[in-house]
Amino acid sequence: VCVAGYGWSGGNEILQLLPPPTLQAKETQGLCPERDFKVECGGFSNRPVYSLKHVPDTSLLVTSGPPDSSLQVWQVSAEDSDVIKSVSAIPTENGTGQPWAKIATISARAPWVLHGSRLNSVQITEVESRKNVYMAGKRLEICFLRGRLCWAALRQPQSPLEAVSVPPAPSGERWCMGVGCGPQGSDSSSQPVACLSSGGHLTLTDLRKTSESLASAKCRVPSPSSGAEFLCVSWAPALEGCLAISGFDGTVHVYDAQSWDSSGREAEPIFVHKGHAFSGWDSSGGPPLVTVHTWHPQKPRTLLSAASDGSLHVWDWVQSCGKC
């Protein structure tokens, strides 16, 4: 597990942590005396780390954060070293004055990173050679405040991002999205997409027919602080129809979306993790804000979450009824 700080004082840690044995076991174990993470290696970043991704099939990490939209590439230490060191930077074309970049990584013919802070500056770069593989067309001048999705043909290096029609959504809100895996054996294009707004609206669609909403709901969450930088929605990899959201406060909400319809009515979470909310105060003197969460790939009800007070939690829940 890799974590990093995002403070403005400089010297933010980047750590690779070894999970406790009970978390590494594929099957549920009994009581385990070792419940703490152990630091395997680490380094320091001279800028805040707002996004961190591991590059699949490599020992590289990619990070982004203010004051610009460039990326930093890190080498996780070899066996004879415990240092995570900076190895290169990936600049963004016309990135001056742009905010930090959102990033995603994939291992294709060569490791790629998708990054961008605005839709008309989205690009894909080969991590090791820093070769530009794809760049969004410059014709895109659309205001995306309604949770719209975009497509691009990567076979065309300069093809524009094309907005696809989506069901109506509240305007003036910021959005994030999470893509899930379809049922085992289904077509790869059969993937559910969850779009989450800063007002707590959730819209579910399918990549095969984005113009129709599969379902929609209103989550019972407080209004986020200005910026809503840490909104996060993710599908459970081992529980059909379950998803989690965070970034509004010190909690993580888990929902079973299988019974949702298109009414948009308020949804009741099946579980709310409140551990971060009671763990103390962050550096600003306020209650902690959950900055990110993720699901364990094999354990159906196990999640990891981190908060602005530097806490990292691993947790699960037990439900006696229902499909989750």
Side-chain angles (χ1 to χ4, degrees), residues 39-252:
V39 177
E40 280 196 304
C41 52
F44 291 94
S45 171
N46 59 6
R47 60 168 66 198
V49 178
Y50 276 31
S51 186
L52 182 155
K53 298 290 183 181
H54 172 250
V55 181
D57 303 323
T58 74
S59 58
L60 299 176
L61 304 175
V62 180
T63 65
S64 66
D68 55 41
S69 59
S70 64
L71 308 184
Q72 286 67 51
V73 182
W74 304 81
Q75 174 73 56
V76 178
S77 65
E79 294 182 359
D80 58 346
S81 173
D82 59 359
V83 177
I84 297 177
K85 61 181 181 179
S86 176
V87 293
S88 65
I90 299 176
T92 301
E93 185 172 325
N94 300 322
T96 304
Q98 293 188 9
W100 63 281
K102 297 293 184 71
I103 55 179
T105 55
I106 188 173
S107 179
R109 293 184 181 89
W112 289 356
V113 56
L114 182 150
H115 55 107
S117 56
R118 294 191 175 96
L119 285 169
N120 58 4
S121 66
V122 170
Q123 62 187 79
I124 296 177
T125 305
E126 195 173 283
V127 176
E128 295 175 328
S129 68
R130 289 187 285 177
K131 176 184 176 182
N132 191 299
V133 177
Y134 164 85
M135 179 171 289
K138 300 302 182 182
R139 301 194 304 270
L140 193 67
E141 295 294 341
I142 305 174
C143 183
F144 286 85
L145 291 176
R146 297 180 64 83
R148 293 182 178 178
L149 301 176
C150 294
W151 287 97
L154 299 186
R155 295 183 182 91
Q156 304 173 24
Q158 296 293 331
S159 64
L161 284 169
E162 299 291 346
V164 296
S165 58
V166 294
S171 61
E173 298 183 353
R174 298 190 63 178
W175 291 79
C176 68
M177 61 173 282
V179 181
C181 297
Q184 189 172 5
S186 64
D187 181 14
S188 60
S189 64
S190 175
Q191 295 178 303
V193 180
C195 296
L196 172 67
S197 81
S198 56
H201 294 92
L202 261 171
T203 302
L204 310 183
T205 58
D206 193 299
L207 284 180
R208 296 170 299 179
K209 202 168 186 180
T210 56
S211 60
E212 294 183 6
S213 172
L214 297 177
S216 61
K218 176 69 169 67
C219 302
R220 189 181 301 174
V221 296
S223 298
S225 58
S226 60
E229 299 286 3
F230 298 112
L231 289 181
C232 183
V233 56
S234 63
W235 290 94
L239 280 178
E240 185 178 356
C242 281
L243 54 83
I245 67 169
S246 64
F248 296 90
D249 54 17
T251 64
V252 181

